């Protein structure tokens, strides 16, 4: 089975001259107004918007026709996502937007220019066209070079304004071959006591989970603790500029750790034949999770969602499929016995599940992971819900705490 995967590569517009910045700002304003104008139709049908708005939009807004169309698409996306995430009191209020250029209105090329070899040319409207020098970080540059080698292809570019700087988000696409019939389900979950846990179950022995692995995320906790201390000190001294700087530094260090852990998780998955990865869909989790303030803090301080995004992006490129299970399908995973399905009464701090019904004693985070794997397996018809062959508890389960041990 072939699948198109998308990767975003971010480059910075390097010291553009004031005339170009002004042109971009004017276009951003115009584009923002146009998206709001399309939203005013309150329709998520592209056809409807095209038939009722396109000709008028061309007269009202001084934008390239391709931009008029991407603004319409954006309005549709915004409206749809608002509809999916709204609650009774939500009001749609658009604060900012990025400008989407598609193939008809941009050109990206490599030149012999000494400043930077990468240049992005944008058609803004009928008269105006600007060329911008783009610089990339090391990892991003490798991806971009992949396009010139033909491994990846360009789709669209989003021009994003942050503060006074402009960034180009290139959306790259690649067609990967995914195995038609996966043989091993790898479940990856956030734990109550770990940043991440992984478990694997083979199609041949669906009742026997294979060795699990734990990532405690201790280095990330250490970085977070350190920087929150620094932030407090700077706040006392009212050094607001410095706080921002340290925020960026903290984010980069945490990201670095997340990449290390993601690589280890992928190595874990790849040791099994034809793996498929399953994770819980965490959209809306912040809204749904209101137990205790303390728990909340610990829970959110470990950036599992970000880890999920990194894992997905990396494995997609390697041709491993990732599936997300909706939250309603993975309820109570860390309280449910993975052998008999009994839901036990448990306190948040308890680390072991002791099943009162069948007597299974199991690491709670690993148990949750196995339950997630089971949910996908049921969906793929790999196993019936019962009866199950009793699994031995600790077999092959080797807790590891290699939560990224590299030096910073
Ligand atoms: Zn049980």
């Amino acid at each position: 089975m072939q699948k198109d995967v998308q990767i975003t590569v971010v480059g910075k517009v390097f010291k553009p001259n004031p005339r170009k910045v002004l042109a971009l700002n004017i276009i951003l304003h115009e584009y923002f107004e146009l998206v709001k104008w399309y939203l005013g139709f309150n329709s998520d049908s592209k056809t409807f918007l095209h038939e009722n708005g396109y000709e008028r939009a061309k007269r009202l807004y001084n934008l390239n026709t391709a931009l008029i169309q991407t603004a319409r698409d954006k309005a549709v996306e915004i409206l749809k996502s608002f509809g999916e995430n709204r609650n009774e009191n939500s009001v749609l209020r658009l604060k900012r937007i990025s400008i989407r250029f598609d193939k008809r209105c941009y050109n990206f090329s490599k030149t012999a220019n000494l400043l930077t070899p990468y240049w992005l040319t944008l058609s803004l409207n009928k008269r105006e066209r600007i060329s911008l020098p783009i610089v990339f970080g090391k990892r991003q540059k490798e991806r971009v070079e992949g396009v010139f080698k033909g491994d990846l292809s360009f789709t669209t570019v989003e021009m994003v304004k942050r503060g006074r700087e402009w960034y180009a988000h290139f959306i790259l696409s690649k067609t990967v071959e995914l195995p038609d019939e996966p043989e091993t389900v790898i479940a990856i979950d956030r734990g109550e006591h770990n940043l991440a846990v992984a478990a694997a179950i083979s199609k041949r022995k669906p009742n026997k989970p294979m060795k699990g692995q734990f990532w405690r995320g201790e280095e990330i906790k250490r970085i977070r603790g350190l920087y929150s201390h620094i932030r407090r000190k700077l706040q006392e001294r009212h050094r607001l500029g410095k706080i921002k700087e340290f925020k960026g530094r903290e984010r980069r260090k945490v990201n670095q750790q997340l990449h290390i852990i993601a690589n280890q998780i992928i190595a874990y998955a790849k040791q099994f034949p034809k793996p498929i990865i399953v994770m819980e869909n965490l959209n809306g989790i912040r809204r749904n999770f209101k137990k205790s303030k303390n728990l909340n803090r610990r829970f959110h301080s470990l950036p599992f969602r970000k880890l999920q995004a990194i894992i997905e992006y990396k494995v997609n490129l390697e041709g491993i499929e990732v599936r997300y299970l909706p939250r309603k399908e993975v309820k109570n995973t860390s309280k449910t016995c993975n052998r008999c399905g009994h839901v036990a009464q448990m306190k948040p701090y308890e680390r072991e599940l002791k099943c009162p019904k069948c007597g299974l004693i199991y690491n709670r985070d690993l148990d949750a992971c196995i339950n997630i794997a089971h949910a996908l397996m049921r969906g793929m018809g790999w196993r019936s819900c019962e009866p199950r062959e009793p699994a031995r508890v600790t077999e092959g389960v080797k807790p590891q705490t290699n939560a990224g041990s590299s030096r910073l």
Side-chain angles (χ1 to χ4, degrees):
M1 181 180 63
Q2 285 196 332
K3 191 188 170 197
D4 279 325
V5 297
Q6 294 200 327
I7 307 153
T8 308
V9 170
V10 181
K12 188 177 176 183
V13 180
F14 186 72
K15 296 188 179 162
N17 71 40
R19 187 187 60 82
K20 290 177 185 176
V21 176
L22 182 67
L24 276 173
N25 285 338
I26 290 170
I27 291 299
L28 177 64
H29 177 76
E30 197 86 338
Y31 194 79
F32 188 54
E33 291 302 317
L34 175 56
V35 173
K36 284 199 282 189
W37 185 78
Y38 268 126
L39 283 171
F41 286 87
N42 199 20
S43 162
D44 62 7
S45 156
K46 284 184 189 178
T47 324
F48 177 86
L49 292 179
H50 183 77
E51 282 167 3
N52 294 281
Y54 182 61
E55 290 302 326
R56 253 195 301 159
K58 274 203 294 192
R59 286 194 300 273
L60 291 168
Y61 297 90
N62 183 22
L63 292 167
N64 191 314
T65 53
L67 288 179
I68 290 174
Q69 287 171 41
T70 66
R72 173 203 65 197
D73 295 351
K74 280 216 165 197
V76 169
E77 287 162 24
I78 291 164
L79 211 58
K80 279 188 177 160
S81 122
F82 178 70
E84 282 161 20
N85 297 309
R86 67 173 304 169
N87 55 36
E88 321 82 83
N89 305 322
S90 332
V91 183
L92 177 57
R93 202 171 285 137
L94 201 58
K95 282 185 186 149
R96 60 180 80 88
I97 201 128
S98 55
I99 316 170
R100 181 179 302 161
F101 290 82
D102 68 12
K103 277 188 178 155
R104 293 168 293 176
C105 52
Y106 84 89
N107 178 48
F108 184 66
S109 55
K110 217 175 152 181
T111 65
N113 190 293
L114 290 177
L115 181 66
T116 170
Y118 307 106
W119 286 76
L120 175 64
T121 305
L122 303 171
S123 312
L124 306 176
N125 51 38
K126 280 191 194 106
R127 276 164 290 120
E128 212 161 12
R129 188 177 254 271
I130 53 171
S131 278
L132 303 164
I134 308 288
V135 287
F136 295 99
K138 190 171 153 259
R139 209 177 281 146
Q140 312 274 317
K141 199 166 171 175
E142 281 167 20
R143 297 282 184 221
V144 167
E145 284 299 320
V147 183
F148 293 108
K149 279 189 223 132
D151 303 339
L152 294 151
S153 58
F154 286 114
T155 59
T156 54
V157 58
E158 297 272 345
M159 293 305 293
V160 181
K161 188 182 183 186
R162 252 188 279 148
R164 296 181 140 203
E165 307 283 359
W166 279 89
Y167 296 84
H169 291 222
F170 294 90
I171 317 294
L172 310 179
S173 136
K174 184 183 181 178
T175 308
V176 293
E177 194 66 47
L178 300 174
D180 288 326
E181 302 253 329
E183 283 176 18
T184 318
V185 167
I186 313 285
I188 300 163
D189 194 22
R190 74 201 138 87
E192 305 274 344
H193 303 280
N194 293 282
L195 166 63
V197 195
I201 303 180
S202 157
K203 191 177 185 177
R204 296 207 189 96
K205 289 182 177 173
N207 293 326
K208 253 188 173 174
M210 291 177 281
K211 62 175 175 184
Q213 195 163 331
F214 298 80
W215 288 268
R216 296 180 59 175
E218 256 163 8
E219 185 58 22
I220 292 175
K221 279 188 196 155
R222 193 192 66 78
I223 294 167
R224 291 257 162 120
L226 174 71
Y227 280 91
S228 91
H229 175 77
I230 295 173
R231 253 198 314 280
R232 256 197 321 274
K233 290 277 166 229
L234 290 170
Q235 242 147 21
E236 279 166 22
R237 288 174 211 160
H238 304 289
R239 303 279 300 273
L240 295 178
K242 272 269 181 254
I243 291 179
K244 236 185 180 173
E245 189 188 316
F246 276 99
K247 262 218 156 116
R249 224 185 273 182
E250 175 183 4
R251 197 178 50 236
R252 279 191 296 278
K253 286 197 172 175
V254 169
N255 270 348
Q256 197 184 353
Q257 288 303 314
L258 290 174
H259 275 276
I260 292 168
I261 294 170
N263 285 339
Q264 289 171 354
I265 291 176
I266 291 158
Y268 171 87
K270 281 169 79 179
Q271 66 181 315
F272 300 103
K274 294 192 181 170
I276 177 169
I277 288 177
V278 58
M279 297 189 275
E280 177 186 359
N281 185 350
L282 291 178
N283 282 338
I285 188 116
R286 269 161 208 264
R287 255 203 328 253
N288 298 333
F289 200 91
K290 274 184 202 148
K291 272 188 187 154
S292 85
K293 272 193 172 163
N294 252 335
L295 193 64
N296 245 339
R297 195 171 309 131
R298 188 195 64 213
F299 189 78
H300 291 142
S301 70
L302 287 175
F304 185 73
R305 270 186 83 154
K306 185 127 201 210
L307 181 66
Q308 280 187 323
I310 299 173
I311 292 171
E312 182 183 353
Y313 156 88
K314 286 185 188 243
V315 295
N316 266 334
L317 287 175
E318 303 208 25
I320 298 174
E321 193 180 353
V322 175
R323 296 253 187 103
Y324 285 96
L325 288 181
R327 275 196 38 80
K328 56 179 192 296
E329 277 182 39
V330 287
K331 256 190 185 160
N332 289 329
T333 46
S334 73
K335 293 181 192 169
T336 305
C337 170
N338 74 67
R339 186 162 66 184
C340 74
H342 179 77
V343 181
Q345 291 291 325
M346 291 194 65
K347 301 266 188 313
Y349 53 81
E350 285 180 87
R351 291 183 178 231
E352 263 185 348
L353 174 110
K354 300 186 179 89
C355 178
K357 204 173 162 200
C358 75
L360 180 79
I361 298 175
Y362 221 87
N363 175 290
R364 200 177 166 187
D365 286 348
L366 197 59
D367 178 68
C369 222
I370 292 169
N371 283 324
I372 288 177
H374 284 169
L376 179 69
M377 288 161 67
R378 277 195 295 275
M380 298 197 303
W382 279 18
R383 75 203 294 272
S384 56
C385 294
E386 55 192 333
R388 296 178 203 165
E389 168 193 319
R392 258 177 296 158
V393 182
T394 50
E395 190 179 348
V397 174
K398 210 181 356 165
Q400 289 185 21
T401 55
N402 45 352
S405 50
S406 79
R407 295 202 172 277
L408 291 165

